[in-house]
Amino acid sequence: MTLIHTSLHQDYQPLWKVDWAIREIISNAIDGETRNAEDGKGQMAMTYEAKPKRLTISNNDITVPAKSLLLGTSESRGNVDCIGTFGEGLPMALLVLARNHYVVTIYNGQEKWEPSIETHETLKEPVLCVKTRQMIKDRKCFSVEVEGIDAEDYATTQQMFLRFDPGFDEAKVIRAPDGERVLLQAHHKGKIYNKGVFVCSREKLLFGYDLRTELNRDRSMLDEWNLKNRLGSLLNEAVTHDEAKFLPILETAVFEGNDTLELSDGYGEMKYNEKMKKHFAIKFGERYGGYCVPVTNATESKEVEALGHKPIMCSPLLHSLISTSYPSLASLRSVKATTIERTVELSEEARSTLGRVLSKLPADTVASLTIRPVIFASPVTKSVWRDGGIDMAWHMFEDPPSLLLSIVRELVVQKKLGPVSQDASTDVSLSLARMILK
């Protein structure tokens, strides 16, 4: 018998739980299968015996070197298809199980390993140790047996891996080209997996997700910014590659303004998906009619109503998806600014004022010019060029300088007065008007 003393103190990583330890052993077995798939070796199996409460995880036709007990040694490092990369899973799992008094037996080819917590002879501290001994019979596998696992704990363990989840239905999954998946089943809602292994739960998620990325050492999760990018990109891919299955599910959530992470404004990549834009524009029209105006807050809603249209409150995402297909508040304001409520008759005094103003302008420019006194729907609108003439707000005739400025501005913009560039038309019209007024 040989006793291997590791450098792992009994109290190392005190927050690690037994289910985490089991997760690491299963992950290692899956990686063993992945690494040896081309050779037809390493097929992984997991069995549970209820009466002895024994969980067995094994890979056939392979063995594991003793150096795998050394923290930081990994045979999976650099393999993007493998779950583990840090070389900590196996030794950490054995440490956690040993300090929680679980009986663990490992059959490694012709060797038998038994982990325990022992006092280091030199350091005089409790550390993880592994007793190894030769067996007569070669098991021709690497097998880890853990005793003391209740049936309930085993059921929980199964659900930590999509591969072993008895309720997992591959037909209710949308797979992106890079292998990442959107999980549509109700019991996966809010759960995030990485390469098929459960990582964490998030309350405000509409679906479950199986990502393919690198995690931190504790497999706790990637940061919020990366998560937003990942989910936004994955949903985009899901719509693009499985429109018929995914859009109807997403539609309900978007129209209900579902307060989820995927549909919040931070996950904006979906805004640029043309299939989604077209789909939601059509569905918006079917639900509310073609003359409704999408708005995002109460202030906009009141203004749209005041402009004589029906506002529909939308989430930021829905608004961004359909905004180019329906009238905007800005366009309604523009329409109102040029809308005429009625025309008016000028008084003799107003006619005289208009005559004096027009006399200041070149005769050939104003000879065929029509000035129409009107009342605009918007009180701030002063003048609008229309049908070769100028619609002028009636109150402008009470102020000759302002009337002249408005007429000159319209003529300059229409390039009927003064050699000006289009970009500078407003400034030039004002300058020219002031010069004429002198």
Side-chain angles (χ1 to χ4, degrees):
M1 182 192 77
T2 302
L3 184 63
I4 301 175
H5 288 82
T6 74
S7 60
L8 290 176
H9 193 278
Q10 173 181 269
D11 298 329
Y12 181 63
Q13 293 284 36
L15 298 180
W16 267 55
K17 304 174 184 178
V18 170
D19 58 344
W20 290 14
I22 300 298
R23 177 192 67 186
E24 293 306 309
I25 293 174
I26 298 173
S27 297
N28 278 352
I30 294 173
D31 284 349
E33 182 178 83
T34 301
R35 291 194 309 270
N36 294 278
E38 291 185 3
D39 299 328
K41 297 180 179 181
Q43 184 176 0
M44 183 250 183
M46 183 169 72
T47 59
Y48 178 70
E49 301 167 84
K51 191 172 183 179
K53 297 183 178 180
R54 181 188 298 128
L55 176 64
T56 303
I57 301 120
S58 62
N59 295 91
N60 64 8
D61 297 323
I62 65 170
T63 59
V64 171
K67 68 179 182 179
S68 62
L69 298 172
L70 183 63
L71 204 63
T73 301
S74 174
E75 294 183 86
S76 300
R77 185 174 288 116
N79 190 328
V80 296
D81 294 322
C82 286
I83 300 166
T85 58
F86 293 101
E88 299 181 351
L90 181 61
M92 279 298 306
L94 299 183
L95 172 67
V96 172
L97 291 170
R99 75 180 174 208
N100 284 281
H101 311 293
Y102 284 81
V103 177
V104 180
T105 306
I106 299 174
Y107 296 100
N108 187 21
Q110 205 168 346
E111 289 185 341
K112 181 179 181 180
W113 294 2
E114 296 173 296
S116 60
I117 302 296
E118 307 287 346
T119 301
H120 196 286
E121 292 181 359
T122 304
L123 302 177
K124 308 303 181 185
E125 290 288 335
V127 298
L128 171 67
C129 295
V130 179
K131 299 174 185 176
T132 69
R133 65 185 69 193
Q134 291 290 317
M135 299 188 301
I136 296 175
K137 183 179 179 181
D138 186 347
R139 293 288 188 103
K140 295 184 179 180
C141 70
F142 181 79
S143 174
V144 182
E145 297 181 357
V146 184
E147 295 185 17
I149 303 297
D150 294 331
E152 183 178 345
D153 294 333
Y154 174 63
T156 301
T157 298
Q158 285 182 295
Q159 292 178 6
M160 292 176 68
F161 293 83
L162 294 176
R163 173 175 176 170
F164 299 111
D165 181 356
F168 178 63
D169 185 354
E170 184 67 41
K172 296 181 180 179
V173 165
I174 298 176
R175 184 184 295 271
D178 61 1
E180 294 190 325
R181 299 181 285 183
V182 181
L183 312 175
L184 305 180
Q185 291 177 269
H187 74 283
H188 289 139
K189 175 181 170 68
K191 294 182 179 179
I192 297 176
Y193 297 76
N194 186 57
K195 299 177 183 177
V197 184
F198 174 75
V199 176
C200 66
S201 293
R202 298 292 294 269
E203 290 183 4
K204 291 186 176 182
L205 282 179
L206 189 60
F207 309 109
Y209 295 92
D210 182 26
L211 307 179
R212 292 181 62 82
T213 186
E214 291 188 9
L215 304 178
N216 58 16
R217 293 172 60 214
D218 296 333
R219 303 192 196 281
S220 57
M221 197 51 228
L222 61 168
D223 62 62
E224 180 70 11
W225 177 255
N226 285 331
L227 179 61
K228 287 182 178 182
N229 287 338
R230 287 275 179 180
L231 297 194
S233 177
L234 183 50
L235 288 177
N236 235 7
E237 292 286 352
V239 173
T240 301
H241 290 87
D242 209 335
E243 179 181 357
K245 181 189 290 186
F246 193 48
L247 271 180
I249 299 172
L250 198 59
E251 178 187 326
T252 301
V254 171
F255 275 103
E256 288 179 355
N258 205 313
D259 184 21
T260 63
L261 290 179
E262 303 101 307
L263 306 184
S264 69
D265 198 39
Y267 295 75
E269 190 166 346
M270 288 186 291
K271 299 175 186 178
Y272 308 106
N273 189 305
E274 293 303 320
K275 285 187 177 180
M276 286 185 66
K277 284 185 175 182
K278 181 178 179 180
H279 177 86
F280 282 102
I282 292 172
K283 294 300 179 181
F284 186 83
E286 291 176 355
R287 286 177 178 237
Y288 305 115
Y291 295 97
C292 293
V293 179
V295 297
T296 57
N297 57 62
T299 301
E300 290 180 349
S301 180
K302 289 180 180 179
E303 188 173 353
V304 168
E305 279 188 319
L307 291 170
H309 292 262
K310 181 182 178 181
I312 300 296
M313 194 71 73
C314 301
S315 67
L317 175 60
L318 178 57
H319 188 271
S320 67
L321 287 169
I322 64 175
S323 60
T324 57
S325 301
Y326 288 86
S328 65
L329 181 55
S331 67
L332 294 182
R333 289 170 180 158
S334 177
V335 170
K336 180 181 178 180
T338 61
T339 298
I340 297 173
E341 288 190 349
R342 59 188 176 91
T343 59
V344 296
E345 289 291 332
L346 289 180
S347 65
E348 288 298 326
E349 182 179 355
R351 289 177 184 276
S352 176
T353 297
L354 177 58
R356 291 199 306 272
V357 167
L358 293 178
S359 69
K360 299 290 185 178
L361 300 172
D364 58 340
T365 300
V366 300
S368 59
L369 180 64
T370 302
I371 308 291
R372 297 177 289 268
V374 300
I375 296 177
F376 288 107
S378 172
V380 299
T381 305
K382 297 178 180 179
S383 61
V384 174
W385 181 271
R386 194 175 355 234
D387 300 329
I390 301 174
D391 293 330
M392 185 68 65
W394 66 274
H395 59 81
M396 297 295 289
F397 294 88
E398 299 176 353
D399 183 5
S402 296
L403 179 60
L404 178 58
L405 284 171
S406 293
I407 294 174
V408 170
R409 183 181 294 113
E410 294 293 346
L411 291 173
V412 171
V413 170
Q414 297 301 319
K415 298 184 179 180
K416 295 182 178 297
L417 185 66
V420 300
S421 66
Q422 188 173 358
D423 293 339
S425 60
T426 300
D427 291 338
V428 174
S429 66
L430 289 173
S431 300
L432 184 58
R434 291 191 183 100
M435 190 168 62
I436 293 173
L437 283 173
K438 291 180 179 179

